[in-house]
Amino acid sequence: MDNWLPSLITATQTEGYDLAVKLSRIAVKQTQPDATMRDKLRKEYEADAGALIAVSQVVATHFATIALANNHWRDAK
Amino acid sequence: MDNWLPSLITATQTEGYDLAVKLSRIAVKQTQPDATMRDKLRKEYEADAGALIAVSQVVATHFATIALANNHWRDAK
Amino acid sequence: MDNWLPSLITATQTEGYDLAVKLSRIAVKQTQPDATMRDKLRKEYEADAGALIAVSQVVATHFATIALANNHWRDAK
Amino acid sequence: MDNWLPSLITATQTEGYDLAVKLSRIAVKQTQPDATMRDKLRKEYEADAGALIAVSQVVATHFATIALANNHWRDAK
Amino acid sequence: MDNWLPSLITATQTEGYDLAVKLSRIAVKQTQPDATMRDKLRKEYEADAGALIAVSQVVATHFATIALANNHWRDAK
Amino acid sequence: MDNWLPSLITATQTEGYDLAVKLSRIAVKQTQPDATMRDKLRKEYEADAGALIAVSQVVATHFATIALANNHWRDAK
């Protein structure tokens, strides 16, 4: 993949959260490059509460990093 | 979704914790956008101790971020 | 719930740890508000080693936050 | 329990790690106060690779906190 | 293994993320040195949504470390 | 065990990672002191993708601590 992550800096907190969601998905994409298989697995975990909570945990970890990178958007408040 | 996260800054610690709960739910919502399916899954994990503890873990991770953003509400004590 | 978390600052490390335990339980309470159901689930996870370790993980995450808020109680040593 | 955690400051890194192990066990103790039940569960998870790794994860989280409290024992090196 | 990790500093955020993926794999390699067995296990977890999410969690943890090492690439933006 | 952790400071990043692997194993050793049992469990989790990923997560957490202790080896680059 080319330079898909040009910056950790986002204009708003909401965009920062969206970026965290994106970061959580890229690792899955790099580990399982087959899009058809990923679609199949996505169907499975979309219907699995434990998997959805685990996704939310990954997002929380990335959001911590992005929030720190943006100095918690303190200057923007 | 529009700008649902206007700020990480909260007036009190309790509100900061509530925001952490909200952040933990948004990732689930974005991964499983179907409200009917989410209600069904919620019924399942509300009755599953392991899932409830996992939710609590996600909240703890977000709370760490929010507490840091608010300088642990030290100025407010 | 009202303002149940007036401060992250505690007089001692032991009280800080107790607060971490409290924080880990609140998310469960907010996700499963039915006290009877919670008592039932508590019986289950009290007898489940994996669940007890997972609870300990949540407490560890909150304790990190509280220790940071208290500057690791360095001034109190 | 009385004041079982008088300080996060330890003389050496090894003692800091031991304290992390102690902190990981206290949450289990507070959630399951029955010593006989805990002994039974301990027998179980001592023979369960997944549980042992999960214990190690909790210890790692507490060790991060304790290392930070001790300024990573940099002055002691 | 020889000095496989010469630096945590990367030119771009994307390279930093790639390094996080690499770091997450090295621990598996060191714990299971048999390449044939690793290939077999890889086939399994590539088709397991829970395992892919868990991999993503490890990557998120390493990415936090690498982002911090690079001062979140703030000077590069 | 005696003073097995004389320092968190390492000469290189690679040695820092090796130390993280070591720290992740010590907690298992302290929880299950029987070497024969540990060898048996090791055989099990070496062939279990989920367990290997969980080990990698523990290593990632310890590596964050060690990298911080070494100021991310910035002076060494």
Side-chain angles (χ1 to χ4, degrees):
Chain A
M1 286 190 291
D2 46 6
N3 189 30
W4 58 270
L5 180 57
S7 180
L8 294 180
I9 309 304
T10 65
T12 65
Q13 293 87 328
T14 304
E15 289 177 28
Y17 192 92
D18 289 344
L19 182 56
V21 173
K22 182 180 175 180
L23 290 189
S24 73
R25 289 177 185 170
I26 295 286
V28 174
K29 208 168 173 174
Q30 294 198 349
T31 310
Q32 175 47 275
D34 181 339
T36 313
M37 177 59 101
R38 283 205 308 277
D39 284 348
K40 183 180 162 294
L41 292 173
R42 192 179 167 85
K43 292 244 155 23
E44 283 177 30
Y45 74 71
E46 276 180 354
D48 178 343
L52 288 172
I53 296 166
V55 166
S56 183
Q57 180 68 53
V58 182
V59 170
T61 305
H62 277 307
F63 185 66
T65 303
I66 292 166
L68 199 56
N70 286 278
N71 195 25
H72 297 89
W73 299 276
R74 276 186 195 126
D75 306 331
K77 83 177 157 167
Chain B
M1 285 189 291
D2 46 6
N3 189 31
W4 59 269
L5 180 58
S7 180
L8 293 180
I9 309 304
T10 65
T12 65
Q13 293 87 328
T14 304
E15 289 177 29
Y17 193 92
D18 289 344
L19 181 56
V21 172
K22 182 179 175 181
L23 289 189
S24 73
R25 289 177 184 169
I26 295 287
V28 173
K29 207 168 174 174
Q30 294 197 350
T31 310
Q32 175 47 277
D34 181 339
T36 313
M37 177 60 100
R38 282 206 308 277
D39 283 348
K40 182 180 163 294
L41 291 173
R42 192 179 166 86
K43 292 246 154 23
E44 282 176 31
Y45 73 72
E46 275 180 354
D48 178 342
L52 288 172
I53 296 166
V55 165
S56 183
Q57 180 66 54
V58 182
V59 170
T61 305
H62 278 306
F63 185 65
T65 302
I66 293 166
L68 200 56
N70 286 278
N71 195 24
H72 297 89
W73 299 276
R74 277 187 194 125
D75 306 330
K77 82 178 156 165
Chain C
M1 286 189 290
D2 46 5
N3 189 31
W4 58 271
L5 180 57
S7 180
L8 294 181
I9 309 303
T10 65
T12 66
Q13 293 87 326
T14 304
E15 288 177 30
Y17 193 93
D18 290 343
L19 181 55
V21 173
K22 181 178 174 182
L23 289 190
S24 74
R25 290 178 183 167
I26 295 286
V28 174
K29 206 168 174 175
Q30 294 197 349
T31 310
Q32 176 48 276
D34 181 339
T36 313
M37 177 60 99
R38 283 206 308 277
D39 283 349
K40 182 180 163 295
L41 291 173
R42 192 179 167 84
K43 291 245 155 25
E44 281 177 31
Y45 74 71
E46 276 179 353
D48 178 342
L52 287 172
I53 296 166
V55 165
S56 183
Q57 181 66 54
V58 182
V59 170
T61 305
H62 278 306
F63 185 65
T65 303
I66 293 166
L68 199 57
N70 286 278
N71 195 25
H72 297 89
W73 299 276
R74 277 186 195 125
D75 306 331
K77 83 177 154 165
Chain D
M1 286 190 290
D2 47 4
N3 189 30
W4 58 271
L5 181 56
S7 180
L8 294 181
I9 309 303
T10 65
T12 66
Q13 293 86 329
T14 304
E15 289 177 29
Y17 193 92
D18 290 343
L19 181 56
V21 173
K22 181 178 174 181
L23 290 190
S24 73
R25 290 178 184 167
I26 296 286
V28 173
K29 207 168 174 174
Q30 294 197 348
T31 310
Q32 176 47 276
D34 181 339
T36 313
M37 177 59 100
R38 282 205 310 276
D39 284 349
K40 182 180 164 296
L41 292 173
R42 193 181 166 84
K43 291 243 156 24
E44 283 177 30
Y45 73 72
E46 276 179 353
D48 177 344
L52 287 172
I53 296 166
V55 165
S56 183
Q57 180 67 54
V58 182
V59 171
T61 305
H62 278 306
F63 185 65
T65 303
I66 292 165
L68 199 58
N70 286 278
N71 195 25
H72 297 88
W73 299 276
R74 277 187 196 126
D75 306 332
K77 85 177 153 165
Chain E
M1 287 190 290
D2 47 4
N3 188 30
W4 57 271
L5 180 57
S7 180
L8 294 180
I9 309 303
T10 65
T12 66
Q13 293 86 330
T14 304
E15 288 178 29
Y17 193 92
D18 290 343
L19 181 55
V21 172
K22 181 179 173 180
L23 289 190
S24 74
R25 289 177 184 167
I26 296 287
V28 173
K29 207 167 173 174
Q30 294 197 349
T31 309
Q32 174 48 274
D34 181 339
T36 313
M37 177 59 101
R38 283 206 307 277
D39 284 347
K40 184 180 162 293
L41 292 173
R42 193 180 166 85
K43 291 246 156 21
E44 283 177 30
Y45 75 70
E46 276 180 354
D48 178 342
L52 287 172
I53 296 166
V55 166
S56 183
Q57 180 68 53
V58 182
V59 171
T61 306
H62 277 306
F63 185 65
T65 302
I66 292 166
L68 200 57
N70 286 278
N71 195 25
H72 297 89
W73 299 275
R74 277 185 195 126
D75 306 331
K77 83 176 156 168
Chain F
M1 286 189 290
D2 47 5
N3 189 29
W4 57 271
L5 180 57
S7 180
L8 294 180
I9 309 303
T10 65
T12 65
Q13 293 87 330
T14 304
E15 289 177 29
Y17 193 93
D18 289 343
L19 181 56
V21 172
K22 182 179 174 181
L23 289 190
S24 73
R25 289 178 184 167
I26 296 287
V28 173
K29 207 167 174 173
Q30 293 197 348
T31 310
Q32 175 48 275
D34 180 339
T36 312
M37 178 59 100
R38 283 205 308 276
D39 284 347
K40 182 179 163 295
L41 292 173
R42 193 180 165 84
K43 291 244 156 23
E44 283 177 30
Y45 74 71
E46 275 179 354
D48 178 343
L52 287 173
I53 296 166
V55 165
S56 183
Q57 180 67 53
V58 182
V59 171
T61 306
H62 277 306
F63 185 65
T65 303
I66 292 166
L68 199 57
N70 285 278
N71 194 26
H72 297 87
W73 299 275
R74 277 185 196 128
D75 306 331
K77 83 175 154 168

